[in-house]
């Protein structure tokens, strides 16, 4: 069945979207023929096709979303990608226009690779080209900023859009660009569909009624919930369970003691922070949360809005909790030398005077001592202890897996074992690669040199280990063939991976800045090792510096399928992170499909990866003997296990909350926006605090215009600069019923009326503009062309409306509050007509704009775009643009010249040279004022001396007395000369 028929199947099933279903003809015919009608199938029949491979719960997801619009929330690892691909295939037709928004680059590339190229169109760079591409139909992955502007300018045929698919729906808030685009879409298209996807249930637990507000912003009425404990999911995955073996690796005595001491210090700091802040809700700050991956987000959600109210000790404790968490991670997952190098940095004098005092505790002293003992023995000789998981990993690769392959497949099996080792981050991946290829002793020695850890005297045991590893490598180098391929691009910063548990706080990143820069060329996210012998130490690493990112996948496939099989039973070992920077969490799924591993070793635990392995095995439907075997290397009853269990518990609690919310939520019939009752699309005041102001505003409007409220008024419009669509304000302005007109303007950001121009600045932008001088030039332009220039200083709605405290200022500048306030004062002195408006949030700004426009004339887009350009503007502002701007500004600073008389002086004054030749009477005639003429003549012809009270310091008085004589403080030099002649 063709793609056209697939699309028609969706239209047949979706009764509520009959308009689109009947508007999907063949690309070369305008009407459906009898044969086409005969080929129409239902969605259930579409799922029976052989090329549609979906698990049972994925089929149910597909049917739910095909039949009715809604928001789908699934657990991590139960990917909705295949469901979405089939939905896109169903609607792949030139008669449809399908838009996909809020997708990442890796998702976009993946979906495009799975669809027919003729139905997927790239977004053009120019507006004219985009209009043509829109009319061609098909599927487009488009950025919301471009989409919003095209919708406002009506470049896109809104009525012809078949539907919009929204990814990562948990990020859709009321003021974001995606919500703006959906509102514009629903205003003029009542029949198209909206389908939203999310795989982050925890995000919906933040804030009040988050799931309900998200559904309202998406204009959907249905909520589909798919947790891992869903009966359909369990039934689909349980029959294909893999054989899993948990290997509980005991920690060394020193690591266990360090973990205990760090937890004790964390517990002390948590009690201390709650004791200091008894009136503040500190429920989320617990020792359990301190060791989880989401600790930074928990802290930000809990303390960001009250950060300025906390005392300095509380802020130090919060910073120290982050540092202790990084020390815990380094001790548990990194090698002994790296952990010691990190801990040693926090024992210096510089950090000792800037922490909350935890370094003075006995437990801290034990941490420093034990960390050193992990690297040096009792005789202070260099003998670092290996990572606890290295030995079990070696036994698995050298003994357990080869024996299991012979036992399961026979001694004469030809297929070499393929092993996938999953790590949590690129640092661990690099660590294992170095360990497997050159041995632990040499790797630890290299780490000591890289971290500048003093080696001194090396112990005999460590020397023997290092020499034996080097000899083994030398002996087998001629017989060993090792290939290392890099699947993803190099890591530029460990903190770029959102879910890695090695994210460090800002202070730690600052202290480790040199190491991160040095390690950029070391840490990569995937390595492929093949060797002729089973011993991992026999593998000689040979990193290919010229490996191309774009050539990796075909090389890997060829290597896995043909090269590894042809080379005498070479074992194949792949080191892979759970998620990569380029492909995200889908990287693991792609690697599983390409490699088809026999064994998977979970070096670290990850909920998403475990479920991806379950889903992968359920898709293959292999017999028990042919299924993967999964080994878990885990430190039982440690922080590692607790962090894994906490993530499971938090996800389960999030789903329980969403399920409970769904059972109680009340959804209006008009929430989908398909009826005229969807008042949220038009002018409305949804917040209770706006109810009173709305009635007052309407009353004032009626009094100002003298028109009855029942008479339909022209929709007020605001001209918005195209660059401002990166912010939330245009969306909120439109939500209040104002028309947003996107125009590229050079002066200001928002034009409210022909006289009112607004330049919007956030706090960080304000500081940068004041320091660079850019704001001064912007104010010059606004005051020159607009009668009422306004500088809007807008705060973040999630932060306090407060400009005090060093934490409120930009981290990129060393400016203080005094500097900022002094520069703002100078700004107001230089521009008397400039008005400053302080706004606590974009919501308040939108309300303010509406009130400023009441009863005022509407701005003209062409005039606003012409102002400030090289071409002379026409109309009221044309007269001003005929003169030299520098001369105009200079004259305005002279006494007696004002905005009322400057234009007449410019027209009739000639030049500055001619102005100096004119008499006082002639100047008074030009300025139409005797007083103004005298002031201008005096400033041009009389040398001025400061008044007594204007002189700063005695040195200026002394200099004046020497010039004009002792005791003479006359204002004019002429008067001083006459006084001298009088004395004679």
């Amino acid at each position: 069945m063709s793609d056209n028929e697939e699309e028609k199947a969706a239209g047949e099933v979706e009764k509520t979207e009959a308009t689109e279903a009947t508007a999907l003809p063949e690309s070369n015919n305008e009407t459906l023929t009898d044969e086409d009608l005969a080929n129409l199938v239902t969605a259930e029949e579409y799922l029976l096709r052989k090329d549609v491979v979906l698990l049972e719960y994925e089929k149910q997801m597909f049917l739910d979303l095909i039949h009715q619009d809604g928001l789908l929330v699934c657990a991590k690892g139960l990917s909705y990608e295949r469901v979405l691909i089939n939905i896109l295939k169903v609607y792949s037709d030139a008669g449809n226009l399908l838009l996909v928004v809020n997708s990442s680059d890796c998702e976009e590339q993946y979906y495009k690779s799975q669809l027919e190229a003729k139905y997927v169109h790239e977004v053009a760079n120019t507006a004219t080209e985009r209009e043509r591409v829109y009319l061609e139909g098909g599927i487009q992955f488009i950025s919301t900023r471009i989409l919003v502007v095209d919708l406002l300018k009506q470049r896109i045929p809104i009525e012809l859009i078949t539907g919009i698919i929204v990814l990562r729906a948990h990020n859709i808030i009321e003021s974001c660009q995606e919500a703006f685009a959906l509102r514009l879409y629903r205003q003029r298209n009542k029949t198209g569909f909206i389908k939203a996807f999310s795989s982050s249930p925890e995000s919906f637990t933040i804030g009040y009624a988050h799931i309900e507000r998200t559904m309202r912003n998406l204009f959907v009425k249905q909520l589909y919930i798919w947790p891992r404990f869903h009966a359909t999911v369990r039934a689909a995955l349980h029959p294909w369970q893999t054989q899993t073996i948990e290997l509980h690796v005991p920690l060394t005595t020193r690591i266990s003691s360090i973990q205990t001491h760090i937890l004790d210090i964390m517990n002390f700091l948590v009690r201390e922070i709650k004791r200091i802040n008894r009136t503040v809700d500190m429920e989320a700050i617990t020792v359990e949360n301190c060791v989880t991956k989401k600790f930074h987000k928990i802290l930000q959600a809990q303390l960001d809005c009250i950060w300025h109210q906390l005392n300095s000790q509380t802020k130090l404790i919060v910073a120290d909790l982050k540092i202790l968490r990084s020390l815990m991670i380094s001790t548990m997952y990194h090698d002994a030398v790296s952990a010691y190098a990190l801990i040693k940095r926090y024992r210096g004098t510089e950090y000792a005077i800037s922490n909350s005092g935890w370094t003075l505790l006995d437990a801290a002293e034990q941490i420093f001592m034990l960390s050193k003992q992990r690297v040096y023995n009792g005789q202070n000789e260099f003998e670092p202890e290996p990572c606890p998981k290295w030995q079990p990993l070696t036994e698995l690769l050298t003994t357990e897996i080869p024996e299991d392959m012979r036992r399961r497949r026979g001694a004469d099996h030809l297929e070499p074992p393929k092993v996938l080792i999953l790590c949590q981050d690129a640092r661990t991946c690099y660590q294992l690669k170095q360990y497997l290829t050159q041995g632990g002793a040499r790797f630890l020695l290299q780490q000591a040199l890289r971290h500048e850890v003093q080696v001194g005297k090396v112990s005999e045991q460590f020397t023997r280990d290092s020499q034996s590893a080097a000899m083994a490598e030398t002996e087998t180098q001629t017989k060993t063939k090792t290939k290392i391929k890099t699947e993803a691009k190099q890591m530029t910063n460990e903190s770029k991976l959102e879910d890695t548990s090695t994210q460090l706080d800002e202070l730690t990143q600052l202290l480790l800045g040199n190491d991160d820069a040095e390690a950029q060329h070391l840490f990569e996210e995937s390595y492929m090792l093949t060797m002729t012998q089973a011993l991992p130490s026999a593998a000689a690493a040979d990193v290919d510096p010229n490996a191309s990112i774009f050539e990796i996948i075909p090389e890997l496939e060829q290597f896995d399928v043909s090269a590894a099989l042809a080379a005498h039973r070479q074992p194949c070992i792949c080191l892979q992170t759970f998620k990569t920077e380029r492909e995200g969490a889908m990287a693991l799924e792609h690697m599983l499909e390409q490699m088809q591993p026999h064994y998977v070793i979970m070096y670290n635990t990850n909920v998403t990866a475990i479920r991806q392995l379950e889903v992968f095995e359920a898709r293959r439907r292999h017999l028990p003997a042919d299924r993967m075997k999964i080994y878990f290397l885990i430190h039982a009853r440690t922080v590692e296990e607790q962090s894994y269990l906490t993530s499971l518990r938090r996800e389960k609690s999030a789903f329980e909350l969403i399920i409970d919310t769904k059972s109680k939520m009340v959804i209006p019939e008009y929430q989908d926006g398909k009826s005229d009752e969807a008042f949220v699309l038009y002018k409305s005041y949804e917040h209770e605090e706006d109810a009173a102001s709305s009635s007052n505003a309407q009353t004032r409007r009626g009094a100002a215009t003298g028109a009855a409220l029942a008479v339909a008024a022209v929709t007020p419009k605001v001209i918005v600069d195209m660059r401002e669509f990166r912010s939330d304000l245009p969306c909120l302005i439109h939500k209040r019923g104002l028309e947003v007109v996107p125009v590229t303007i050079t002066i200001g950001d928002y034009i409210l009326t022909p006289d009112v121009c607004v330049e919007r600045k956030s706090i960080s932008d304000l500081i940068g503009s004041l320091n660079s001088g850019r704001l001064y030039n912007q104010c010059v332009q606004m005051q020159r062309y607009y009668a009422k220039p306004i500088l809007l200083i807008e705060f973040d709605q999630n932060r306090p409306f407060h400009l005090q405290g060093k934490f409120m200022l930009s981290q990129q500048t060393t400016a203080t509050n005094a500097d900022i306030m002094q520069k703002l004062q100078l700004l107001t002195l230089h521009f008397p007509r400039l008005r400053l408006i302080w706004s606590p949030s974009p919501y308040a700004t939108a309300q303010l704009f509406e009130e400023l426009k009441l009863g005022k004339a509407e701005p003209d887009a062409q005039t606003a775009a012409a102002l400030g350009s090289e071409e002379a503007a026409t109309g009221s502002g044309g007269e001003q643009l005929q003169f030299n701007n520098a001369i105009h500004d200079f004259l305005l600073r002279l006494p007696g010249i004002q905005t009322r008389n400057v234009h007449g002086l410019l027209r009739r004054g000639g030049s500055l040279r001619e102005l100096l030749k004119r008499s006082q009477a002639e100047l008074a005639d030009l300025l139409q004022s005797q007083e103004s003429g005298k002031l201008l003549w005096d400033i041009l012809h009389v040398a001025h001396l400061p008044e007594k009270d204007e002189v700063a310091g005695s040195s200026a008085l002394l200099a004046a007395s020497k010039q004009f004589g002792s005791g003479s403080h006359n204002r004019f030099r002429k008067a001083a000369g006459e006084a001298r002649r009088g004395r004679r």
Side-chain angles (χ1 to χ4, degrees):
M1 187 169 59
S2 66
D3 290 322
N4 294 336
E5 295 163 356
E6 297 173 13
E7 191 285 321
K8 294 164 194 170
E12 180 72 17
V13 174
E14 196 163 1
K15 301 300 182 183
T16 58
E17 298 175 3
T19 304
E20 301 91 335
T22 56
L24 306 175
E26 295 280 349
S27 58
N28 56 353
N29 295 328
E30 292 297 325
T31 58
L32 291 172
T33 63
D34 293 340
E35 183 180 357
D36 297 329
L37 293 173
N39 289 331
L40 289 176
V41 296
T42 63
E44 289 79 2
E45 292 173 335
Y46 168 79
L47 293 176
L48 297 177
R49 292 176 46 180
K50 292 183 178 179
D51 58 341
V52 178
V53 181
L54 294 176
L55 298 176
E56 197 60 39
Y57 70 89
E58 291 176 328
K59 293 180 180 179
Q60 191 59 47
M61 289 180 183
F62 175 83
L63 292 175
D64 289 341
L65 287 172
I66 283 292
H67 284 294
Q68 201 164 3
D69 297 354
L71 166 62
L72 185 144
V73 182
C74 69
K76 284 182 169 59
L78 304 182
S79 57
Y80 55 76
E81 282 81 9
R82 289 177 182 262
V83 177
L84 178 55
I85 287 173
N86 281 277
I87 292 177
L88 293 176
K89 287 181 178 179
V90 163
Y91 286 98
S92 294
D93 189 86
N96 292 330
L97 176 57
L98 191 64
L99 304 177
V100 182
V101 298
N102 206 27
S103 62
S104 63
D105 292 338
C106 62
E107 290 174 328
E108 179 179 341
Q109 295 302 322
Y110 172 68
Y111 293 132
K112 285 181 178 179
S113 66
Q114 301 296 316
L115 301 171
E116 290 191 46
K118 64 179 180 179
Y119 295 128
V120 180
H121 300 292
E122 299 292 337
V123 178
N125 294 326
T126 62
T128 306
E129 185 68 16
R130 284 203 302 273
E131 288 186 36
R132 183 188 63 79
V133 174
Y134 289 141
L135 294 175
E136 291 181 357
I139 299 172
Q140 288 201 29
F141 294 82
I142 188 169
S143 68
T144 47
R145 181 168 170 263
I146 295 176
L147 178 60
V148 165
V149 173
D150 287 348
L151 289 172
L152 289 171
K153 286 185 170 289
Q154 298 184 3
R155 294 171 181 158
I156 182 171
I158 302 178
E159 296 84 358
L160 301 180
I161 297 177
T162 307
I164 296 180
I165 291 177
V166 184
L167 303 183
R168 295 202 295 276
H170 51 274
N171 294 330
I172 307 301
I173 59 175
E174 185 181 34
S175 59
C176 69
Q177 296 294 325
E178 288 78 12
F180 193 6
L182 293 174
R183 194 182 317 121
L184 293 170
Y185 165 67
R186 265 292 175 251
Q187 276 187 343
R188 298 181 55 189
N189 189 324
K190 306 293 186 183
T191 56
F193 65 76
I194 297 175
K195 305 183 191 301
F197 297 83
S198 174
S199 60
S200 180
E202 293 94 337
S203 301
F204 293 106
T205 62
I206 301 174
Y208 175 73
H210 191 162
I211 189 76
E212 298 172 73
R213 287 185 284 114
T214 302
M215 292 175 64
R216 188 164 63 245
N217 297 330
L218 290 169
F219 297 98
V220 296
K221 297 193 296 184
Q222 296 297 324
L223 175 62
Y224 304 110
I225 309 170
W226 289 93
R228 174 62 180 85
F229 54 82
H230 195 289
T232 308
V233 177
R234 285 207 310 260
L237 300 181
H238 183 73
W240 313 101
Q241 282 185 337
T242 59
Q243 182 180 357
T244 58
I245 300 175
E246 280 194 23
L247 301 178
H248 289 181
V249 181
L251 289 176
T252 63
T253 306
R254 295 190 181 98
I255 296 179
S256 181
S257 300
I258 292 175
Q259 174 188 262
T260 303
H261 291 310
I262 292 179
L263 289 176
D264 289 342
I265 297 176
M266 280 185 170
N267 192 29
F268 168 76
L269 293 180
V270 167
R271 290 202 312 269
E272 188 70 11
I273 198 174
K274 292 183 178 180
R275 181 187 64 80
I276 297 174
N277 304 277
R278 296 184 183 276
T279 59
V280 181
D281 182 16
M282 296 283 182
E283 182 182 356
I285 301 181
T286 62
V287 176
E288 181 183 10
N289 285 336
C290 286
V291 298
T292 58
K293 299 176 183 177
K294 302 289 185 180
F295 180 56
H296 296 77
K297 293 184 178 180
I298 294 172
L299 271 184
Q300 185 176 4
Q302 193 77 14
L303 300 178
D304 205 11
C305 58
I306 58 169
W307 186 253
H308 68 295
Q309 300 175 3
L310 303 177
N311 57 23
S312 58
Q313 182 67 10
T314 302
K315 295 173 182 177
L316 289 175
I317 291 176
V318 170
D320 288 343
L321 284 174
K322 295 180 182 179
I323 290 174
L324 287 168
R325 178 176 175 272
S326 70
L327 297 182
M328 176 76 75
I329 291 169
S330 182
T331 303
M332 295 288 297
Y333 302 126
H334 300 165
D335 58 273
V337 177
S338 300
Y340 173 64
L342 176 62
I343 292 176
K344 191 172 64 172
R345 294 175 187 271
Y346 294 107
R347 208 177 186 186
T349 307
E350 182 179 353
Y351 178 71
I353 61 177
S354 62
N355 69 80
S356 60
W358 69 270
T359 54
L360 303 177
L361 300 176
D362 293 338
E365 186 63 30
Q366 291 294 320
I367 292 173
F368 295 136
M369 184 184 67
L370 291 169
S371 298
K372 184 176 181 180
Q373 291 177 1
R374 292 186 64 202
V375 181
Y376 302 98
N377 59 16
Q379 288 76 35
N380 204 24
E381 296 175 333
F382 183 74
E383 188 180 350
E385 65 179 25
C387 293
K389 290 185 180 180
W390 283 358
Q391 185 61 30
L393 178 64
T394 303
E395 293 176 356
L396 282 177
L397 294 175
T398 58
T399 307
E400 177 68 24
I401 289 179
E403 290 181 357
D404 187 74
M405 281 292 289
R406 286 193 293 269
R407 187 167 55 251
R408 294 170 63 184
R409 304 187 178 239
D412 298 329
H413 70 281
L414 298 177
E415 188 176 7
K418 290 182 287 188
V419 183
L420 177 62
I421 304 176
L422 296 178
C423 313
Q424 64 182 355
D425 61 353
R427 179 190 287 269
T428 308
C429 209
Y430 171 78
Q431 175 197 112
L432 292 183
K433 188 266 293 187
Q434 293 294 96
Y435 167 70
L436 292 177
T437 55
Q438 61 186 20
R442 178 175 291 190
F443 169 67
L444 291 172
L445 185 59
Q446 288 179 352
Q447 290 294 94
L449 297 176
R450 192 166 73 87
H451 292 289
E452 298 181 357
V453 174
Q454 186 176 1
V455 176
K457 185 179 180 181
V458 181
S459 68
E460 295 181 2
Q461 179 64 35
F462 184 79
T463 304
R464 286 195 300 269
D465 294 343
S466 180
Q467 290 177 350
S468 61
M471 291 175 60
E473 180 179 355
T474 304
E475 292 173 0
T476 57
Q477 191 167 7
T478 57
K479 299 183 292 183
T480 302
K481 182 180 180 181
T482 303
K483 292 185 179 181
I484 301 176
K485 298 294 184 180
T486 307
E487 183 190 358
K489 59 184 175 183
Q490 297 177 351
M491 288 282 290
T492 57
N493 194 332
E494 289 179 32
S495 61
K496 285 184 178 180
L497 289 179
E498 179 184 356
D499 289 336
T500 58
S501 52
T502 55
Q503 284 185 334
L504 306 181
D505 64 288
E506 293 79 5
L507 179 59
T508 308
Q509 289 179 1
L510 180 64
L511 293 174
L512 290 178
N514 295 332
D515 285 352
D516 288 343
E518 182 184 356
Q520 284 183 7
H521 65 284
L522 291 178
F523 300 152
E524 298 170 358
E525 295 168 323
S526 181
Y527 300 94
M528 184 74 73
L529 310 178
T530 61
M531 61 204 74
T532 55
Q533 296 190 8
L535 288 174
S537 60
D542 183 18
V543 181
D544 183 5
N546 299 319
S548 171
I549 294 175
F550 302 102
E551 299 177 355
I552 286 306
I553 291 180
E555 287 183 4
L556 275 178
E557 288 177 350
Q558 181 184 4
F559 171 68
D560 288 340
V561 176
S562 58
L565 292 176
H568 306 296
R569 295 195 227 174
Q570 289 181 316
C572 175
I573 301 174
C574 178
L575 302 172
Q576 170 81 31
T577 54
F578 294 129
K579 56 186 294 187
T580 63
E581 183 185 359
R582 185 167 64 93
E583 293 185 289
M586 290 190 292
L588 175 56
E589 184 177 345
H590 296 165
M591 176 58 72
L592 289 171
E593 293 176 356
Q594 294 168 13
M595 187 180 179
Q596 299 286 328
H598 303 127
Y599 300 91
V600 176
I601 299 176
M602 298 284 292
Y603 192 79
N604 305 113
T605 55
N606 183 274
V607 176
T608 306
I610 292 172
R611 289 174 182 163
Q612 285 178 308
L613 293 173
E614 286 184 305
V615 172
F616 172 72
E617 196 58 63
R619 291 193 202 284
R620 295 202 303 176
R621 295 175 175 268
H622 284 182
L623 296 174
D626 297 330
R627 294 176 192 168
M628 289 187 304
K629 198 168 186 178
I630 302 176
Y631 295 92
F632 286 90
L633 294 178
I634 188 169
H635 298 301
R637 287 178 290 185
T638 62
V639 169
E640 181 183 27
E641 185 181 37
Q642 182 59 46
S643 177
Y644 172 72
L645 296 176
T646 301
S647 60
L648 281 177
R649 180 185 58 78
R650 289 183 59 201
E651 185 189 71
K652 184 173 180 291
S653 301
F655 270 117
E656 289 174 348
L657 176 63
I658 295 174
I659 293 170
D660 183 64
T661 304
K662 181 180 179 181
S663 65
K664 298 177 181 177
M665 70 170 60
V666 178
I667 300 177
E669 188 64 30
Y670 53 77
Q671 181 163 301
D672 56 3
K674 295 183 179 181
S675 64
D676 293 334
E677 298 178 30
F679 59 89
V680 294
L681 295 177
Y682 308 103
K683 179 173 177 58
S684 63
Y685 297 87
E686 295 184 351
H687 305 287
E688 294 180 0
E689 61 268 21
D690 294 338
S693 62
S694 65
S695 60
N696 295 337
Q698 291 175 354
T699 304
R700 288 195 301 271
R701 182 186 300 166
T705 60
L709 293 176
V711 178
V714 178
T715 303
K717 62 182 180 180
V718 176
I719 297 176
V720 182
D721 186 27
M722 298 283 277
R723 293 176 288 270
E724 277 296 300
F725 282 92
R726 297 185 180 94
S727 66
D728 296 342
L729 188 53
C731 174
L732 298 175
I733 292 174
H734 182 270
K735 191 171 180 63
R736 295 197 71 89
L738 305 178
E739 180 185 352
V740 176
V741 182
V743 179
T744 301
I745 54 180
T746 58
I747 301 174
D749 294 328
Y750 299 86
I751 310 299
L752 304 185
T753 70
D755 297 331
V756 178
C757 173
V758 179
E759 178 72 28
R760 187 188 70 89
K761 296 289 183 186
S762 62
I763 297 299
S764 58
D765 193 17
L766 173 69
I767 296 170
S769 300
L770 285 173
N771 292 335
S772 65
R774 188 174 75 252
L775 182 57
Y776 178 85
N777 297 327
Q778 291 171 336
C779 291
V780 168
Q781 295 287 333
M782 286 197 299
Q783 183 166 280
R784 180 176 299 148
Y785 294 105
Y786 290 95
K788 298 176 182 178
I790 295 176
L791 174 62
L792 170 69
I793 302 173
E794 189 177 82
F795 285 72
D796 186 352
Q797 59 185 347
N798 297 320
R799 294 180 177 271
F801 188 35
H802 213 273
L803 194 65
Q804 295 181 5
K806 63 180 180 180
F807 295 99
M808 292 306 299
L809 297 180
S810 172
Q811 297 180 356
Q812 286 78 29
T813 179
T814 57
T816 62
N817 287 321
D819 295 335
I820 300 303
M821 300 312 297
Q822 288 172 5
K823 290 176 181 177
L824 285 176
Q825 291 168 1
L826 288 174
L827 197 68
T828 54
L829 289 175
H830 277 85
F831 306 101
R833 288 190 289 128
L834 180 67
R835 298 292 179 261
L836 265 64
I837 294 180
W838 302 80
S839 174
S841 70
Y843 290 88
T845 304
Q847 181 180 354
L848 176 67
F849 281 6
E850 183 185 16
E851 295 176 356
L852 288 174
K853 286 187 61 64
L854 291 176
K856 302 294 192 303
E858 298 300 330
D860 182 68
Q862 293 183 351
T863 304
L867 290 180
S869 61
E870 295 181 358
E871 301 177 359
T874 59
S876 59
E879 178 184 47
Q880 197 170 358
L881 292 176
Q882 296 173 1
F883 309 108
N884 189 317
N885 292 330
I887 300 298
H888 177 271
D889 294 340
F890 171 72
L891 290 177
L892 281 177
R893 285 169 171 77
L894 296 179
I897 299 180
Q898 303 168 354
T899 54
R900 293 193 298 269
N901 54 28
V902 67
H903 292 156
L905 182 63
L906 286 169
R907 283 196 304 270
R908 299 161 53 194
S911 65
L912 288 175
R913 185 182 297 275
E914 294 180 12
L915 203 63
L916 290 170
K917 296 178 181 179
R918 294 181 183 271
S919 64
Q920 181 175 333
E922 291 175 335
L923 291 178
D925 181 58
L926 284 174
L927 299 178
Q928 300 178 352
S929 170
Q930 294 293 332
E931 182 182 359
S932 299
K934 184 178 185 305
L935 289 172
L936 180 60
W937 192 87
D938 285 346
I939 197 67
L940 292 176
H941 297 281
V942 179
H944 285 65
L945 189 71
E947 296 279 6
K948 279 185 180 181
D949 54 353
E950 295 176 356
V951 176
S954 59
S955 59
L957 285 172
L958 181 61
S961 65
K962 289 181 179 179
Q963 184 176 1
F964 297 114
S966 176
S968 176
H969 302 300
N970 297 338
R971 183 161 186 170
F972 304 115
R973 181 184 298 175
K974 181 179 179 180
E978 291 176 353
R980 292 193 192 97
R981 288 194 294 272
R983 284 195 297 270
R984 293 195 190 109

